[in-house]
Amino acid sequence: MTRLFCFLALTVAVILVGCGKPDFSDAEKKTIASLALNTLPSLKPDTTNRFADVPAAAALGSTLFFDLGMSRDGTVSCSTCHKIDRQFQDDLPRAVGVGRTNRRTMPLAGVARDPFFFWDGRRDSLWAQALTPLENPLEQAGNRAAYAHYIKARFGERYERIFGPLPDFSGIPSNASPLGTDAEKAAWNAMSDGQRDAINRVYANIGKAIAAFERSIEPAQTRFDRFALDLATGAEPKGDAIFSREEILGLKLFIGKANCVTCHNGPRFTDNGFHNTGVPPVADLPPDRGRVDAVAQVEADPFNCLGAYRDGDVSACGELRFMVKDGPQLIRAYKTPSLRGAATRPPYMHAGQFSSLDEVVAHYAKAAPSVEGTSEIHPLELSDRERAALVAFLKTLSE
């Protein structure tokens, strides 16, 4: 009788799984619950930017984000690469501004929760990150003095209502920057310390306004979140919250055998860390060593958390003060991207090396050695069915 009961129970379990019914252990359920969007904590205040949650600052930041005038030639804005209808990215292997860059545009949903920014983490705040493309010769290619003059001419009243009086611009050249052309550098060096500080403060506030807008961009709920919530509450899945047998297998692989959840964890499916996963370089691009070269850049940035333009006190600077600064693990290490929405935004990796999720899964299964440094991943035996199931699950993270 006992044998008959066990046989019947096993048969029912197989039938349930075959119909797409969830069949997970308590440990699996706990992990799945930790990935659901409803566990995403409220956004913490950014004490380095006292305007981060000021609506007027966010409104000005939105205007600047979409303003083509925020570039050298009037043809590029933040939204050129961060397209509002494409998850604030551009679908290109490498971003194109005034010129063609060497990196993939990252989406912006939930970005305000990152401790470091860009693929290599070369900036330590959202507002410092927002400044970097403005002067990058391949992106918006402008200079900070020109931006300050532009703000005064077009948005002076709005700026002053938020940040206070603009400085006296008399005697300040139209074009000047420590990072620009030789002429712009010469003009910058000819300015007094007070003039340079005044321009830097206006420039920092531009970044703080843009960051205030970007803080409002949050990830949207997906099929996975509805599935996870039903699983956690014991509710009967309905509509698109019902997972297929293939999607359930993919989820089990994601949190189990394939070990994806080791780095792609939490409700944003990222650990915010930097890892060498053996992603190959792109031919004809300059050498790119990832995090190992970015450490010096974030430390040298005058707009970093330890700099003069941070609001608040130094207690906010723990990430910068205690970051890992050297070690072989930083060589060709890149940020773990969020997987939310990933299925609908190919290509993948820091320079668009892979055109599909199938290629991404194949790369991680093969685990080829890194061209420099040591890859953290190891070969994984996955059948064709298992690879397809992983991709099917990843698609549930997109609307």
Side-chain angles (χ1 to χ4, degrees):
M1 189 70 178
T2 301
R3 288 182 180 179
L4 177 60
F5 177 79
C6 292
F7 173 77
L8 290 173
L10 179 60
T11 301
V12 169
V14 170
I15 292 173
L16 288 176
V17 173
C19 293
K21 293 281 187 179
D23 180 26
F24 297 98
S25 68
D26 289 343
E28 288 175 323
K29 288 179 181 179
K30 183 177 180 180
T31 300
I32 293 167
S34 73
L35 299 172
L37 195 59
N38 67 300
T39 66
L40 187 69
S42 298
L43 190 58
K44 294 180 181 178
D46 179 2
T47 58
T48 74
N49 176 7
R50 61 192 176 96
F51 308 97
D53 297 309
V54 174
L60 177 59
S62 175
T63 299
L64 298 177
F65 186 92
F66 294 98
D67 187 358
L68 295 173
M70 295 295 290
S71 63
R72 176 182 294 275
D73 60 5
T75 64
V76 179
S77 70
C78 303
S79 65
T80 299
C81 297
H82 297 286
K83 299 182 184 298
I84 191 171
D85 60 342
R86 293 299 306 138
Q87 299 183 51
F88 289 91
Q89 56 87 47
D90 57 10
D91 298 324
L92 299 175
R94 281 145 332 258
V96 177
V98 171
R100 183 176 295 276
T101 74
N102 302 323
R103 294 268 180 85
R104 176 83 168 90
T105 298
M106 302 192 83
L108 296 182
V111 69
R113 290 176 167 80
D114 290 355
F116 292 98
F117 299 83
F118 296 108
W119 282 100
D120 54 14
R122 64 186 183 274
R123 293 294 181 268
D124 69 334
S125 72
L126 187 55
W127 61 269
Q129 182 281 326
L131 297 174
T132 309
L134 296 176
E135 290 190 311
N136 186 313
L138 299 177
E139 295 183 71
Q140 285 156 274
N143 65 82
R144 62 193 66 178
Y147 290 127
H149 284 289
Y150 183 73
I151 291 293
K152 182 175 183 179
R154 287 209 59 190
F155 308 108
E157 289 187 9
R158 290 179 67 182
Y159 177 98
E160 290 186 333
R161 284 198 297 268
I162 301 163
F163 299 105
L166 282 158
D168 180 7
F169 279 44
S170 60
I172 293 180
S174 299
N175 296 283
S177 170
L179 304 177
T181 65
D182 289 343
E184 290 165 355
K185 290 177 183 177
W188 183 260
N189 291 332
M191 293 164 59
S192 68
D193 289 344
Q195 288 175 322
R196 287 194 290 264
D197 180 67
I199 292 301
N200 278 341
R201 290 196 179 279
V202 175
Y203 191 52
N205 287 339
I206 291 172
K208 291 175 182 180
I210 294 172
F213 163 64
E214 291 178 336
R215 279 171 67 83
S216 69
I217 304 169
E218 291 280 41
Q221 191 183 71
T222 68
R223 284 188 60 216
F224 165 76
D225 298 304
R226 292 185 282 277
F227 171 87
L229 185 60
D230 286 343
L231 183 66
T233 60
E236 184 70 21
K238 296 179 181 178
D240 67 357
I242 300 174
F243 269 25
S244 69
R245 178 172 56 183
E246 184 179 44
E247 290 165 342
I248 291 173
L249 173 60
L251 174 53
K252 282 180 169 288
L253 289 165
F254 186 92
I255 63 176
K257 175 181 175 181
N259 291 320
C260 310
V261 78
T262 301
C263 298
H264 293 286
N265 51 49
R268 291 182 59 225
F269 285 79
T270 173
D271 62 359
N272 291 319
F274 301 90
H275 304 278
N276 182 336
T277 58
V279 177
V282 175
D284 301 325
L285 287 185
D288 187 340
R289 305 182 75 224
R291 182 62 174 165
V292 71
D293 289 340
V295 170
Q297 295 178 50
V298 70
E299 286 187 310
D301 179 25
F303 301 102
N304 72 21
C305 191
L306 297 174
Y309 304 100
R310 173 207 73 228
D311 298 318
D313 59 44
V314 75
S315 64
C317 305
E319 292 285 355
L320 181 63
R321 293 169 63 195
F322 302 113
M323 68 179 176
V324 177
K325 297 183 178 181
D326 54 47
Q329 72 272 25
L330 302 184
I331 299 172
R332 287 194 64 79
Y334 300 91
K335 180 187 287 188
T336 306
S338 170
L339 293 182
R340 289 192 169 274
T344 56
R345 58 169 192 264
Y348 302 100
M349 306 304 180
H350 64 273
Q353 284 93 332
F354 303 131
S355 62
S356 68
L357 287 177
D358 299 278
E359 289 184 11
V360 173
V361 171
H363 166 77
Y364 281 99
K366 183 179 180 181
S370 178
V371 296
E372 185 183 13
T374 304
S375 174
E376 297 179 22
I377 62 174
H378 304 283
L380 186 63
E381 291 293 331
L382 291 175
S383 67
D384 290 345
R385 174 172 172 264
E386 288 174 322
R387 294 187 188 196
L390 267 175
V391 171
F393 165 66
L394 293 173
K395 290 179 179 179
T396 71
L397 302 178
S398 299
E399 281 296 276

